[in-house]
Amino acid sequence: MVGSVKPQLLLASAAILAAAACSSSSSGGANATSAPPTIASDTTSASASPSSSPTTPSSPTPTPSFSSTVKASHPCATSQLALSLGAQQGAAGSTIVPIVFTNKGTDGCTLYGRPGVSFLDANGHQLGVGAVFGGDEAATVTLAPGAAANALLSIPDPGNFSAASCAAATAAKLRVYPPGQTASLTVAYSTSVCTTKAGAAMVNPVTPGSGGQ
């Protein structure tokens, strides 16, 4: 009896052990957990931005002027100036004429910018368009009594243009408005000029001296 029971117990025990092992293996698989995925962090802040240097406000550019020891507190009025022409020179396709302003007053005054210039016929009528502005940056010229300043006038040769694009005419005088003034002066000057915009003369800013007069 005992000998028949022992094998059965051994078989039952083996079955129980086997079942326990399977149960343990199944339970371990169900309860296993995997490590959470790693998310790379962005170390750059979204609000970060390259640093910039503060902008220094620019100072107003002073009006350039020619060196002078003369004291002057006001612009030269037309009535204070005498008008003449300096020695003209030939250039490539143009004639250069210095327009000379002389301070005939008793105190110093200043000129700044370009004069207004136009050509007149013998009857005093304007011929075509006036001179256009050109040249370098303007600078203040201070005139002592008796001193002179000049603005170069470049007059194109009518031969550089077709008859239609020039519409040449003969000038007898120049009418000149000193810079910043509304009253004009005239000076005799006879030459052939274009009366169209295409052939307009060009006037530069005033500079010290008579321009070789």
Side-chain angles (χ1 to χ4, degrees):
M1 187 71 174
V2 173
S4 61
V5 172
K6 285 182 177 180
Q8 292 175 351
L9 291 173
L10 290 172
L11 290 173
S13 298
I16 292 170
L17 290 172
C22 289
S23 174
S24 174
S25 175
S26 174
S27 174
N31 292 333
T33 58
S34 59
T38 301
I39 301 175
S41 61
D42 185 357
T43 58
T44 302
S45 171
S47 61
S49 60
S51 60
S52 58
S53 302
T55 302
T56 303
S58 59
S59 301
T61 303
T63 300
S65 62
F66 294 100
S67 178
S68 175
T69 58
V70 179
K71 300 297 182 181
S73 60
H74 62 87
C76 299
T78 301
S79 59
Q80 191 175 356
L81 298 171
L83 177 65
S84 59
L85 299 179
Q88 68 180 28
Q89 301 176 6
S94 299
T95 299
I96 308 299
V97 182
I99 296 173
V100 181
F101 300 102
T102 302
N103 181 1
K104 63 180 184 180
T106 58
D107 60 342
C109 61
T110 60
L111 291 173
Y112 175 80
R114 300 161 178 82
V117 182
S118 55
F119 298 95
L120 305 179
D121 64 17
N123 296 317
H125 299 138
Q126 181 171 325
L127 297 173
V129 300
V132 298
F133 289 169
D136 298 327
E137 182 181 4
T140 300
V141 179
T142 303
L143 294 182
N150 78 94
L152 297 181
L153 178 68
S154 177
I155 306 170
D157 184 345
N160 296 335
F161 305 87
S162 67
S165 62
C166 175
T170 300
K173 296 179 181 181
L174 283 178
R175 178 172 57 196
V176 180
Y177 292 87
Q181 302 300 307
T182 57
S184 65
L185 299 167
T186 60
V187 61
Y189 184 66
S190 178
T191 188
S192 180
V193 297
C194 291
T195 59
T196 61
K197 186 176 181 180
M202 182 178 70
V203 63
N204 288 3
V206 290
T207 58
S210 59
Q213 187 180 27

